[in-house]
Amino acid sequence: MTPMPAHQTAIHSITHDCRQEVQTAAAAKTLALGLSQFLRQHPTQHLNIALEGELGAGKTTFARHLIQSMGYVGRVKSPTYTLCEPYPLNLSDAGPTITAHHFDLYRMRDPLEWQEAGFAEHFDAPGFCLIEWPEKAEGTLPSMDIQIQITAGQTEEERIITLNAYTDPGQSALLAQKAIHRA
């Protein structure tokens, strides 16, 4: 697993110590509230979010909780074989629909594969891209606004989830979720 590039320094971080699945879901829901608030205030904005952790750490589980907490009602599938699953999200009754693009690059053999598949256009669309295994496309992905680092604990349900913001929009989304969580 490759961490965020050394030239990027987190400007804001939040850590969740999750001992049960319900706490992982709560951490994802809190982030979902912050992302939703940020994207409602900036409906044309796009965020790139790296989702990192060892195999089996709970990346897809966290992604599922996050996307469903943002209002997606259907089944959130692992994009392991499709590489990308899009999820339309309506953040408010009056607001436009945005899309969460969930990528799983684990099976990629070459960093250029995602570009050849035509996925680059998703990185400019209003909403966000959530990328599992971003190191598989290292050097070809745009810079990340937020990094979600998941470290597995002693049991299957135990995780340390660290959220790092690397850009001002990423920081705004994390601060929004922090403010909502305190309210």
Side-chain angles (χ1 to χ4, degrees):
M1 178 176 52
T2 305
M4 293 302 290
H7 64 277
Q8 280 192 302
T9 302
I11 56 177
H12 189 77
S13 295
I14 298 171
T15 299
H16 300 275
D17 187 2
C18 304
R19 300 203 183 283
Q20 298 176 358
E21 188 66 31
V22 68
Q23 292 170 313
T24 297
K29 183 176 184 176
T30 302
L31 177 59
L33 292 170
L35 288 173
S36 295
Q37 180 175 323
F38 175 80
L39 291 167
R40 274 193 302 275
Q41 292 172 348
H42 308 279
T44 61
Q45 185 75 38
H46 176 87
L47 294 170
N48 294 318
I49 304 170
L51 185 51
E52 300 179 356
E54 296 296 329
L55 192 61
K59 296 179 297 298
T60 301
T61 297
F62 187 87
R64 185 173 295 121
H65 288 306
L66 177 69
I67 293 166
Q68 287 175 334
S69 293
M70 291 185 78
Y72 187 76
V73 188
R75 183 171 172 250
V76 175
K77 302 177 281 184
S78 173
T80 300
Y81 294 100
T82 59
L83 293 182
C84 179
E85 289 288 340
Y87 298 98
L89 302 170
N90 190 348
L91 301 178
S92 67
D93 293 336
T97 298
I98 62 152
T99 302
H101 289 94
H102 179 198
F103 291 87
D104 185 336
L105 306 182
Y106 181 73
R107 298 200 181 281
M108 283 183 39
R109 293 188 191 120
D110 183 277
L112 295 176
E113 281 183 58
W114 81 272
Q115 285 179 325
E116 292 168 358
F119 293 135
E121 67 191 40
H122 300 316
F123 286 79
D124 291 322
F128 64 93
C129 287
L130 183 63
I131 306 105
E132 294 186 46
W133 301 99
E135 64 274 14
K136 297 281 190 167
E138 192 170 0
T140 62
L141 291 173
S143 62
M144 296 295 131
D145 298 291
I146 297 172
Q147 173 199 42
I148 303 169
Q149 177 66 50
I150 301 177
T151 306
Q154 299 296 324
T155 69
E156 187 177 322
E157 292 184 350
E158 224 175 316
R159 301 178 177 97
I160 304 291
I161 301 170
T162 303
L163 310 172
N164 295 308
Y166 290 97
T167 64
D168 289 338
Q171 181 181 22
S172 294
L174 290 191
L175 290 175
Q177 67 111 34
K178 194 173 181 181
I180 291 168
H181 187 65
R182 277 186 289 196

